[in-house]
Amino acid sequence: MDARSLISLIPSLSAYKWYGKVTRVIGLTIEAKGPQASIGELCYILVGKQGTKVMAEVVGFKEERVLLMPLNGTAEIAPGSLVEGTGRPLQVKVGYSLIGHVIDGCGRPLTGEALPNGLTPYPTDNPPPNPISRPRIKEAMHLGVRAIDGLLTVGKGQRVGIFAGSGVGKSTLLAMLAKNAAADLNIIALIGERGREVKDFIERDLGEDGLRRSIIVVATSDQPALMRIKGAMTATALAEYFRDQGLHVNLMMDSVTRFAMAQREIGLAVGEPPTTKGYTPSVFALLPKLLERAGTNGKGSITGFYTVLVDGDDLNEPISDTVRGILDGHFVLDRELANKGHYPAINILKSVSRVMNDIVTDEQKRAAEHVRSLLSVYKESEDLINIGAYKRGSSKQIDEAIERQPEVISFLRQNTDEVAIAEHSIQQLIQAFGKGD
């Protein structure tokens, strides 16, 4: 920022700094008398003899008290601890030199090193693009996964949910997308993950090549609920910054469910009533605000992939249902397929891309519909086929489905280290299945 820009900021600066004092701590919530602050404002709580600053955010008010929630632990906070208002929400530093780094929800490197030079402060909580100014999605995003590029084509700026129970391959699929996708940059948010799995994902699943074109934001399950919320917000803000630079960004978040659980913790702590399955109303208000920030604008695009942890493989539980209604498509990972060693375990019949018909050729569309028809017919008759009750010749459709089932499965399967070039996948699909009805 040049001197003229700095001088122009002087009239907006306050000559006062506002302070308050901690009165009590109840569970996750800190009550303070003052400072004068607004919802979402970042405050510092001065603790210990050295006056160490603990970051906290204003999350509500109760009578004449300010309710704060810490971004770090509350161990050293005591009655009378000084609370310093900053007059602004949380900002993180962003820039091209951040690529290849792993940071926390506040934008600090997890390695403990200093941030690179040349970064720009950027707010973490931004409004979604104006719906009228959003360009329509007209171009495909090639992801290097045959089943997706061929049958569930994703467009640049589309937002897709990946729905699955635990241990069905969500993180593995995300890593494949990060390594293979034809995006300029990946922003990967690991929200509420086990600490052990973070390094496994970076070194084993993503690898050095994937990390070189990615920024990873980590907020593990042991961190305060507000830090998990900020992890998702920070990752989205990074994607927005690079989108405004004209890049096509892949934003991958694992998982939205843990983001919702963190907001539920905050809502209950500040006194919100639990509603659907214990989730507070603020959860269902915050989800669209987060998810709608991805997409296209006049400069670039954010293609969003959000994993949703499905409890007991129930696709109709509240978070799954809400997220599915907001996004532009969903991939359902099937435990039954995973148990058969079929990876990626995408259930094509339960999955949909809502923009596919607008961005693919008629030939590809017909071939994809033919594959879906073969899968559907085989699925409906599978029990009869397995027990030997079906007699060949009874139905031409079933005969074709049985005959071509190995070919369909071969097309849909892909090793995690295999890169499927999208043009080849689509050509293979059309040549093999394009002539069927």
Side-chain angles (χ1 to χ4, degrees), residues 34 50 63 116 153 167 236 286 302 304 321 365 386 398:
Q50 304 299 322
E63 297 173 352
T153 308
T236 307
L286 192 60
I302 301 172
D321 209 34
K365 199 185 304 182
N386 288 339
I398 298 176

Side-chain angles (χ1 to χ4, degrees), residues 291-362:
L291 301 176
E292 287 288 351
R293 287 169 63 181
T296 57
N297 69 3
K299 300 174 182 176
S301 68
I302 301 172
T303 306
F305 298 93
Y306 302 90
T307 69
V308 181
L309 187 62
V310 182
D311 292 332
D313 295 334
D314 177 15
L315 291 171
N316 295 316
E317 59 94 26
I319 300 303
S320 299
D321 209 34
T322 302
V323 171
R324 193 166 57 243
I326 297 169
L327 298 179
D328 309 314
H330 53 271
F331 304 156
V332 177
L333 303 189
D334 195 315
R335 190 177 300 279
E336 187 178 333
L337 289 175
N339 290 341
K340 293 176 181 177
H342 179 125
Y343 289 102
I346 301 172
N347 188 321
I348 300 297
L349 297 177
K350 291 183 179 179
S351 305
V352 66
S353 169
R354 292 194 177 116
V355 304
M356 178 175 173
N357 288 343
D358 297 331
I359 58 175
V360 301
T361 63
D362 289 339

Side-chain angles (χ1 to χ4, degrees), residues 108-120:
R108 301 169 297 200
L110 282 185
T111 57
E113 300 173 355
L115 282 168
N117 295 324
L119 300 180
T120 305

Side-chain angles (χ1 to χ4, degrees), residues 123-311:
T124 60
D125 194 0
N126 301 302
N130 187 315
I132 300 300
S133 64
R134 282 183 189 249
R136 291 185 61 204
I137 298 171
K138 296 181 179 179
E139 187 179 352
M141 170 65 78
H142 295 158
L143 299 173
V145 178
R146 242 188 332 266
I148 298 174
D149 287 333
L151 303 172
L152 299 163
T153 308
V154 171
K156 289 181 179 178
Q158 187 175 349
R159 301 155 306 146
V160 180
I162 300 174
F163 293 76
S166 56
V168 185
K170 298 186 301 300
S171 298
T172 304
L173 179 57
L174 281 185
M176 288 177 70
L177 298 177
K179 288 187 291 187
N180 301 345
D184 297 318
L185 177 66
N186 300 310
I187 307 294
I188 303 171
L190 303 178
I191 308 301
E193 283 288 322
R194 305 173 187 90
R196 174 189 62 79
E197 292 184 340
V198 172
K199 201 163 187 180
D200 284 350
F201 177 83
I202 295 170
E203 295 184 357
R204 182 192 64 200
D205 296 334
L206 189 61
E208 289 185 12
D209 291 340
L211 183 59
R212 269 197 291 269
R213 54 197 293 260
S214 305
I215 301 173
I216 301 178
V217 182
V218 176
T220 51
S221 57
D222 60 295
Q223 293 182 327
L226 190 58
M227 183 63 94
R228 284 173 266 150
I229 295 288
K230 290 302 174 188
M233 296 295 188
T234 294
T236 307
L238 293 175
E240 289 169 329
Y241 171 83
F242 288 106
R243 174 179 63 187
D244 290 344
Q245 304 302 308
L247 300 186
H248 297 292
V249 183
N250 272 358
L251 171 61
M252 305 176 186
M253 191 173 296
D254 186 11
S255 69
V256 172
T257 306
R258 295 191 179 106
F259 168 84
M261 289 177 174
Q263 181 58 33
R264 177 174 63 182
E265 287 181 40
I266 294 171
L268 292 173
V270 299
E272 278 191 82
T275 53
T276 311
K277 288 199 173 179
Y279 287 100
T280 56
S282 63
V283 173
F284 302 102
L286 192 60
L287 279 171
K289 288 183 180 178
L290 174 73
L291 301 176
E292 287 288 351
R293 287 169 63 181
T296 57
N297 69 3
K299 300 174 182 176
S301 68
I302 301 172
T303 306
F305 298 93
Y306 302 90
T307 69
V308 181
L309 187 62
V310 182
D311 292 332

